[in-house]
């Protein structure tokens, strides 16, 4: 029995689409006249390229098993994240996070799979969605995560 549902897989695929369409393709032209895609390409380090290419190839193959697919997506997102952050900043990336991905569950799945950077962006998006009065001082200091009930 798969650990992740097809809906969760679609949510993670929406994160990739959102990063591509809402950040890389439509941030607008940069002050020096380059397109966002050119800025992103310029900010990829030579040593990051093999990791990105391997993760992109696996992502493009697309595993049928939901658990493997989530891992592929998160590995791809994590491989391009440093260059995305250098190019556009965390705020643009967290703003681009799709609404369906702005949940603690998605953040937890990212952490379970070693995608701490993506989890932090999800947490930042969650924090932006909360009205200012609902944020506790602890939540503000924890990257916007609301306090979790003990189980």
């Amino acid at each position: 029995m798969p650990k992740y549902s097809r809906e969760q897989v679609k949510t993670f695929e929406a994160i990739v689409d959102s990063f591509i369409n809402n950040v890389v393709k439509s941030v607008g032209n940069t002050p020096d006249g380059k397109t966002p895609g050119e800025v992103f390409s310029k900010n990829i380090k030579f040593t990051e390229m093999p990791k990105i290419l391997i993760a992109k190839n696996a992502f493009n193959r697309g595993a049928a098993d939901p658990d493997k697919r989530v891992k592929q997506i998160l590995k791809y997102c994590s491989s391009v994240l440093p260059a995305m952050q250098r190019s556009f900043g965390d705020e643009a990336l967290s703003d681009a996070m799709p609404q369906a991905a702005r949940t603690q569950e998605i953040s937890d799945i990212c952490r379970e799979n070693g995608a701490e950077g993506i989890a932090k962006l999800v947490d930042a998006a969650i924090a932006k969605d909360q009205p200012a009065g609902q944020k506790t001082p602890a939540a503000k200091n924890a990257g916007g995560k609301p306090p979790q009930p003990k189980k």
Side-chain angles (χ1 to χ4, degrees), residues 128-129 143:
K128 286 180 183 179
D129 289 349

Side-chain angles (χ1 to χ4, degrees), residues 90-91 93-99 101-103 118-130 135 143-145:
D90 285 344
E91 189 164 332
L93 296 174
S94 66
D95 287 347
M97 196 65 60
Q99 195 61 42
R102 295 171 182 241
T103 67
I118 303 299
K120 287 180 181 179
L121 291 176
V122 172
D123 292 340
I126 292 169
K128 286 180 183 179
D129 289 349
Q130 291 181 338
K135 292 181 186 176
K145 287 194 286 185

Side-chain angles (χ1 to χ4, degrees), residues 26 32 37 40 45 50 56 64 91 93 101 104 109:
S26 65
D32 60 2
F40 173 70
K45 292 182 180 177
K56 184 176 183 179
E91 189 164 332
L93 296 174
Q104 191 60 47
I109 291 171

Side-chain angles (χ1 to χ4, degrees), residues 19 40 44 48 51-52 55-56 75-86:
F19 282 172
F40 173 70
I44 295 175
E48 294 172 329
K51 182 178 170 182
I52 291 171
K56 184 176 183 179
K75 188 170 186 173
Y76 178 50
C77 287
S78 295
S79 70
V80 298
L81 184 62
M84 295 278 286
Q85 289 172 316
R86 286 190 297 274

Side-chain angles (χ1 to χ4, degrees), residues 11-144:
T11 299
F12 283 104
E13 288 174 341
I15 292 172
V16 174
D17 291 341
S18 182
F19 282 172
I20 292 169
N21 296 322
N22 297 334
V23 179
V24 177
K25 288 187 178 175
S26 65
V27 168
N29 288 333
T30 59
D32 60 2
K34 293 183 179 179
T35 66
E38 290 171 332
V39 172
F40 173 70
S41 294
K42 182 183 175 198
N43 281 299
I44 295 175
K45 292 182 180 177
F46 181 74
T47 56
E48 294 172 329
M49 283 305 296
K51 182 178 170 182
I52 291 171
L53 292 174
I54 291 168
K56 184 176 183 179
N57 284 336
F59 171 78
N60 287 337
R61 280 193 308 267
D65 177 36
D67 296 350
K68 288 181 182 177
R69 186 64 181 150
V70 166
K71 289 179 190 296
Q72 287 175 332
I73 294 166
L74 288 173
K75 188 170 186 173
Y76 178 50
C77 287
S78 295
S79 70
V80 298
L81 184 62
M84 295 278 286
Q85 289 172 316
R86 286 190 297 274
S87 300
F88 309 111
D90 285 344
E91 189 164 332
L93 296 174
S94 66
D95 287 347
M97 196 65 60
Q99 195 61 42
R102 295 171 182 241
T103 67
Q104 191 60 47
E105 176 188 33
I106 297 298
S107 177
D108 292 342
I109 291 171
C110 291
R111 282 191 175 83
E112 282 174 20
N113 288 285
E116 184 66 33
I118 303 299
K120 287 180 181 179
L121 291 176
V122 172
D123 292 340
I126 292 169
K128 286 180 183 179
D129 289 349
Q130 291 181 338
Q134 289 185 354
K135 292 181 186 176
T136 63
K140 289 178 187 174
N141 293 335

